Amino acid sequence: MSDIFPQNPTLVTLHNAAGMQVTLMDWGATIHSIKVPLGNGTLREMLIGPANPEDYHHQYCYMGATIGRYANRIDKGQFVANGKDYTVGGGKDVVLHGGDVGFDKQRFSILEQQPNCVTFKLHSPDGQEGFPGNFDLIVKYTLGDDGSLRVDYHGTCDQECPACITNHSYFNLNGKHCKVLGHEAMFNAKSILLMDPRSIPTGVVYDVTARTDKVDNFNFTQFKKLAPSGSVEDFVGDENMRFTGGYDHAYVINDYGDITKPCATVKGEVVDGKQVQLEVFTNYPAFQFYSGNAINQGVPDVAIARDDNKEYGPHDGFCIEPEYFPDAPHLKEFTEVNPVVTPKQPLNRYIMYKFTVL
């Protein structure tokens, strides 16, 4: 993988008036670090990932990267656009996150830089990974004084093409190398998309509040721990986790057009007397919630934790990935909430992460 990544990444660090710091790099327009001031003169790291940016080729988990052209999965890499059949990502059984050389493995250029914001740009030529059309993506990061990091995506294409851009940061609000199963979450979503054994949505929308005998593992309509006992044993036997070994599911956002409400709110544990909360806002219709089930699993190179120099493992971080529905090109019943990009219809979506010390 080292032959894919360029060397000597360019780093940009944003600052706000409160002392928060966000470091980004041009490889994959990646969020390398988010440090939140705790109010006692110290900063707490919110992300997991390699300490050295040049070591990103030692991880296969898309840590902090911009994902495209199509985030999440496309069944067999096949879809119809422009009245033609296309096969992307080499036509694998499941094409994930744009294929072998997605946007996470490409160097973006820096268009503009200010103390609290930076704008990246990438040109993806017609046919790259099999996708049609010349696609241009602008990614703008803006750090607010209120503890928010807003990510704006503007994508244009000279042909009709499915496109879905998101960020793949792994959060650990405890600020140290540890499991996140003790984090508490509440989602503005009461439905998930059910999946087949390959994690391809079946088209069935499942109401996580429908059970009356117990609280469904997937029901985060009120705050609860990711794993109440702190162990993945909580997930054993859940029929909707038998293929994933944890959370790796698309949540359908309630009234997703209302961007004043966070789609997800997650609280870390109290560490050294301080607890950090993350709220995620978006104008996408869904988000993938991933509990880091396969971090460093079955790969030749592994990511090493930046604080203790030990290997990251499963459930050391979680992801909230706002996006269109996975495999949306094949979910025709939901076409109205999963538009394709055309010369007349660009992609304009945003994600905002807001951190608060409680």
Side-chain angles (χ1 to χ4, degrees):
M1 200 167 184
S2 60
D3 60 330
I4 295 175
F5 282 95
Q7 297 300 305
N8 303 316
T10 298
L11 301 182
V12 175
T13 298
L14 310 181
H15 302 265
N16 70 4
M20 185 172 169
Q21 300 175 13
V22 176
T23 300
L24 306 124
M25 64 178 180
D26 58 348
W27 295 1
T30 295
I31 308 176
H32 171 61
S33 170
I34 298 176
K35 293 180 179 178
V36 171
L38 300 180
N40 58 4
T42 63
L43 296 169
R44 180 180 292 180
E45 179 63 69
M46 296 288 101
L47 301 185
I48 70 170
N52 185 348
E54 293 192 359
D55 288 336
Y56 265 76
H57 63 276
H58 289 303
Q59 61 84 28
Y60 287 68
C61 298
Y62 307 93
M63 290 178 170
T66 297
I67 304 299
R69 269 191 214 191
Y70 203 91
N72 217 312
R73 294 155 175 84
I74 298 179
D75 189 12
K76 294 182 172 54
Q78 298 175 348
F79 58 82
V80 177
N82 309 294
K84 301 177 182 178
D85 293 325
Y86 288 90
T87 298
V88 299
K92 295 178 180 177
D93 187 51
V94 177
V95 174
L96 180 66
H97 294 333
D100 291 336
V101 187
F103 291 178
D104 61 297
K105 300 177 185 69
Q106 299 182 46
R107 186 189 288 270
F108 285 63
S109 60
I110 297 176
L111 288 184
E112 184 180 7
Q113 181 179 342
Q114 298 179 25
N116 72 326
C117 67
V118 62
T119 303
F120 296 96
K121 183 177 181 179
L122 179 71
H123 174 71
S124 176
D126 181 25
Q128 186 174 59
E129 284 293 315
F131 286 94
N134 291 290
F135 188 89
D136 289 292
L137 176 65
I138 292 176
V139 182
K140 182 178 182 179
Y141 291 97
T142 305
L143 179 59
D145 289 337
D146 60 352
S148 65
L149 176 64
R150 176 165 171 146
V151 193
D152 285 280
Y153 302 113
H154 178 70
T156 59
C157 193
D158 59 5
Q159 296 185 44
E160 177 184 302
C161 182
C164 179
I165 313 297
T166 193
N167 181 270
H168 209 299
S169 288
Y170 288 76
F171 299 95
N172 187 321
L173 306 180
N174 293 345
K176 61 179 182 179
H177 183 195
C178 64
K179 303 302 179 187
V180 295
L181 298 176
H183 284 46
E184 295 185 351
M186 180 171 68
F187 298 158
N188 181 27
K190 69 173 187 177
S191 300
I192 63 171
L193 300 183
L194 295 186
M195 301 183 300
D196 70 13
R198 301 168 304 136
S199 294
I200 295 293
T202 63
V204 175
V205 178
Y206 170 68
D207 184 348
V208 302
T209 67
R211 297 195 70 155
T212 58
D213 59 324
K214 67 173 184 177
V215 176
D216 194 293
N217 275 332
F218 289 86
N219 185 351
F220 287 96
T221 54
Q222 301 293 328
F223 275 111
K224 72 181 182 73
K225 290 184 178 180
L226 305 190
S229 74
S231 169
V232 293
E233 292 299 313
D234 292 344
F235 306 149
V236 175
D238 190 312
E239 63 179 7
N240 290 320
M241 289 190 186
R242 64 188 184 276
F243 309 130
T244 57
Y247 296 103
D248 193 5
H249 299 73
Y251 277 79
V252 181
I253 300 172
N254 300 335
D255 305 318
Y256 72 88
D258 185 355
I259 58 177
T260 64
K261 299 178 181 179
C263 67
T265 304
V266 185
K267 298 178 182 179
E269 298 170 69
V270 178
V271 177
D272 297 330
K274 298 291 184 177
Q275 183 181 33
V276 178
Q277 172 181 278
L278 166 66
E279 297 172 285
V280 182
F281 299 79
T282 189
N283 58 352
Y284 272 119
F287 63 88
Q288 188 85 0
F289 173 47
Y290 179 47
S291 53
N293 316 320
I295 295 175
N296 277 350
Q297 296 296 289
V299 295
D301 291 327
V302 294
I304 303 299
R306 43 182 122 208
D307 57 340
D308 63 8
N309 293 316
K310 296 180 180 179
E311 293 181 7
Y312 286 119
H315 315 294
D316 283 348
F318 70 90
C319 303
I320 304 288
E321 307 162 52
E323 57 190 22
Y324 295 128
F325 293 0
D327 198 34
H330 297 123
L331 298 176
K332 300 303 182 185
E333 63 269 43
F334 306 118
T335 298
E336 70 278 3
V337 295
N338 298 291
V340 298
V341 175
T342 71
K344 294 183 178 180
Q345 180 174 269
L347 181 144
N348 284 301
R349 296 288 168 174
Y350 83 91
I351 301 168
M352 186 171 73
Y353 309 107
K354 185 175 181 182
F355 298 89
T356 306
V357 179
L358 302 177

